[in-house]
Amino acid sequence: MRITWLLLLVCCLCPAPSAGRCKFPAVFNFGDSNSDTGGFWAAFPAQPGPFGMTYFRKPAGRASDGRLVIDFIGTHSSISIGSDFRHGANFATLASTVMQPTTSLFVSGTSPFYLGVQLNQMKEFRSRVISSGGKNGQLPSPDVFGNALYTIDIGQNDYTSNLGSQGVEKDLYNIGARNFMVFNMAPIGCYPAFLTELPHSSNDLDEYGCMKTYNSGVTYYNELLKNSLAEVRKKLHDSSIVYVDKYSVILELFRHPNAHGLKYGTKACCGYGGGAYNFNQEVYCGNSKVLNGQTATGAACGDPQNHVSWDGIHTTEAANVRISYAVMSGSYSYPAFGLSKHCSP
């Protein structure tokens, strides 16, 4: 119980809500490191520098040099979570999976806070709100759950699982949720870490330096997810279930960084080894290790604003702000759903 509420306390998004109006009075987020704003590092401190260097000037529990997509979506839609829970909560934690992990964090690196745990935390939170009767000034009113926006961004750590088959939307629907945004998986075939670690031949690389077979696998997974959501949409007639094509947005950044004000696609900013990818799995961003008798350190570049990839696995703040604007526009949502049209900052 104490861990659950510790996670909730540090999982608030920044900054606090602005004065704008939004159709959604709150946002509840579920996910992994792509949207974790402090949950993992609350349970397993402490995050090292140079994480957070761009915006927060110190580690802030985010797997980036600065803010994440969820931060920007909240800021620009006026539904960001502040220092209390009146406008929602973020249950995402780094290294989380959809499926229940079979080994411990210290064996596989997989978080114990998988999606099922996050859903249980949401249910516990809802029970506390209802029992408070709206008399606790730091909690939302009991009627917030039917009008809130529920965002789900998870699956990269176990992408072979079928998110739709887990009944996430149905589970949340049963406790009053009606508005969902479900993000598909990013093109892992373009990330420096996977380009370094996953076996492939030069023939498998496309003209942009991304692995064709792995991206094809992700495309197949995303199609399954999209189809699953279509089936759920037929059953839950009074709800809005939006599929967000994050894959296409990030793929465009990796392929054409220069067209979007960036310089480096498949080269990590923070890492070790230099070269085309600047990634070494033995010397991760912010860590040091003795290699061949010399101390090697995964250090940050001096211009993260020019990179798509922060640490080989996650995107930079510069990339995240571009992704968030694309998501807000509704151009990558099915059915079409322009979040910026529902909220005025």
Side-chain angles (χ1 to χ4, degrees):
M1 185 72 70
R2 292 183 64 186
I3 290 181
T4 296
W5 283 92
L6 174 63
L7 285 169
L8 284 173
L9 284 170
V10 298
C11 279
C12 298
L13 305 184
C14 298
S18 63
R21 292 184 177 182
C22 187
K23 172 183 176 181
F24 308 107
V27 57
F28 295 99
N29 182 66
F30 307 84
D32 51 27
S33 58
N34 292 307
S35 59
D36 179 1
T37 54
F40 182 88
W41 295 105
F44 306 101
Q47 186 184 39
F51 286 89
M53 60 179 281
T54 295
Y55 180 79
F56 301 98
R57 307 298 179 185
K58 62 181 180 180
R62 291 153 172 81
S64 181
D65 61 308
R67 291 163 289 182
L68 308 180
V69 171
I70 192 71
D71 288 309
F72 287 113
I73 289 178
T75 299
H76 293 292
S77 62
S78 306
I79 53 175
S80 53
I81 304 169
S83 57
D84 54 40
F85 306 116
R86 290 177 300 165
H87 297 276
N90 186 5
F91 301 93
T93 59
L94 180 148
S96 291
T97 54
V98 175
M99 304 298 290
Q100 181 176 359
T102 57
T103 58
S104 74
L105 169 72
F106 305 102
V107 173
S108 64
T110 303
S111 170
F113 301 103
Y114 69 101
L115 187 57
V117 171
Q118 295 179 30
L119 288 171
N120 286 336
Q121 290 176 331
M122 174 67 202
K123 293 176 182 177
E124 180 185 334
F125 176 75
R126 177 176 177 272
S127 295
R128 295 202 177 195
V129 170
I130 293 175
S131 64
S132 74
K135 297 179 180 180
N136 188 324
Q138 292 191 331
L139 297 177
S141 61
D143 62 355
V144 74
F145 299 103
N147 300 313
L149 177 66
Y150 295 79
T151 54
I152 304 169
D153 189 358
I154 193 170
Q156 187 164 313
N157 296 311
D158 56 355
Y159 82 94
T160 54
S161 66
N162 187 339
L163 178 59
S165 69
Q166 303 305 308
V168 179
E169 297 79 15
K170 293 179 184 178
D171 205 359
L172 289 171
Y173 179 90
N174 290 334
I175 62 173
R178 291 297 182 271
N179 305 296
F180 306 91
M181 287 181 68
V182 182
F183 291 76
N184 67 7
M185 194 171 68
I188 65 170
C190 297
Y191 282 79
F194 302 120
L195 282 163
T196 303
E197 296 178 354
L198 297 178
H200 64 278
S201 65
S202 58
N203 293 331
D204 190 35
L205 298 179
D206 63 20
E207 61 183 300
Y208 307 102
C210 299
M211 295 181 289
K212 293 181 286 188
T213 52
Y214 291 101
N215 277 350
S216 294
V218 173
T219 300
Y220 177 68
Y221 165 84
N222 286 340
E223 192 64 28
L224 289 177
L225 174 60
K226 186 177 183 180
N227 293 338
S228 295
L229 294 179
E231 292 302 313
V232 174
R233 198 177 293 118
K234 293 177 183 177
K235 299 176 182 178
L236 308 182
H237 300 288
D238 60 339
S239 63
S240 172
I241 302 175
V242 178
Y243 169 87
V244 182
D245 186 13
K246 181 179 67 174
Y247 175 94
S248 294
V249 180
I250 299 178
L251 183 65
E252 168 64 17
L253 293 180
F254 274 120
R255 286 180 169 181
H256 306 106
N258 293 330
H260 302 280
L262 304 171
K263 292 183 179 179
Y264 308 103
T266 57
K267 182 177 182 178
C269 167
C270 186
Y272 176 78
Y277 306 129
N278 190 37
F279 183 86
N280 186 313
Q281 60 183 335
E282 296 187 42
V283 190
Y284 183 59
C285 174
N287 295 331
S288 296
K289 184 176 182 179
V290 176
L291 295 179
N292 301 320
Q294 300 292 325
T295 300
T297 300
C301 64
D303 60 342
Q305 72 276 7
N306 290 324
H307 289 253
V308 175
S309 175
W310 162 242
D311 58 358
I313 304 173
H314 307 98
T315 44
T316 60
E317 175 174 298
N320 289 335
V321 69
R322 289 160 173 80
I323 297 167
S324 67
Y325 276 115
V327 171
M328 290 286 292
S329 72
S331 301
Y332 295 86
S333 299
Y334 305 92
F337 180 80
L339 186 56
S340 58
K341 296 179 181 179
H342 294 271
C343 302
S344 55

